[in-house]
Amino acid sequence: MAQRTFSIIKPDAVRDGHAAAILADIEKAGFKIVTIRKQSISNAQAQGFYYVHKERPFFGELCSFMSSGPIFLMVLEKDNAIADLRKLMGATNPANAEEGTIRKKYAKSIGENAIHGSDAEDTAKFELGYWFAGYELI
Ligand code: ATP
Ligand code: MG
């Protein structure tokens, strides 16, 4: 059954001009782009989004990075969207990412890794609602 997931094209990939190529990979993999918005976010917005990581040593660095330039926020839909997007993204550290994955192709490091994707149904629900109003998701 069609499932929705939340994704971000991160500031490194936007800055380097990879956004369109990443969107093409996502569409080629069978995802429908339900909604998409380019914007810059504040450090406080990043902190709220990555709240689950607040005790991790890289939290400050992560929030500064995510608020360092424009990003694309998007909602994607397909059967098994959450797991399939994680597969298409590749491992968090691009050094460990499989050939052909978005992080293998476009990510620079474990911190600046091109794309985010929700990791479970409950996090997808939280993340969708964090960035988009209900009327944007019809
Ligand atoms: P994301 O949540 O962005 O989709 P992920 O689920 O693969 O990535 P998480 O463990 O949730 O990885 O970490 C969230 C983000 O924090 C990573 O994508 C990366 O940008 C950053 N991060 C994770 N580990 C490190 C680290 N050791 N050093 C620096 N940044 C890190
Ligand atoms: Mg994660």
Side-chain angles (χ1 to χ4, degrees):
M1 207 183 75
Q3 184 183 52
R4 286 181 174 186
T5 191
F6 172 76
S7 182
I8 299 177
I9 302 177
K10 295 187 178 183
D12 57 323
V14 177
R15 197 176 288 131
D16 294 346
H18 297 313
I22 291 172
L23 284 172
D25 284 357
I26 287 170
E27 283 196 316
K28 265 182 250 155
F31 291 87
K32 175 181 155 206
I33 300 168
V34 176
T35 188
I36 184 164
R37 183 170 76 232
K38 185 184 185 187
Q39 70 171 91
S40 296
I41 65 170
S42 68
N43 197 280
Q45 284 177 309
Q47 286 181 38
F49 177 68
Y50 278 121
Y51 184 76
V52 290
H53 295 311
K54 67 182 189 311
E55 306 299 345
R56 309 276 284 276
F58 56 80
F59 183 65
E61 187 190 326
L62 173 61
C63 295
S64 301
F65 165 61
M66 289 302 289
S67 54
S68 68
I71 59 179
F72 284 82
L73 306 168
M74 55 201 171
V75 179
L76 304 174
E77 187 173 282
K78 86 185 273 296
D79 288 349
N80 207 28
I82 296 171
D84 285 359
L85 182 67
R86 299 284 298 186
K87 216 177 295 163
L88 180 65
M89 286 162 50
T92 309
N93 185 346
N96 304 325
E98 273 184 51
E99 221 45 63
T101 60
I102 289 171
R103 282 170 169 164
K104 182 71 178 186
K105 291 201 275 186
Y106 305 113
K108 293 193 179 78
S109 65
I110 190 168
E112 306 207 352
N113 61 3
I115 187 165
H116 162 83
S118 306
D119 59 12
E121 265 183 58
D122 57 338
T123 49
K125 195 164 175 234
F126 164 76
E127 293 176 358
L128 280 167
Y130 189 83
W131 296 110
F132 292 99
Y135 67 82
E136 294 173 284
L137 302 173
I138 295 164

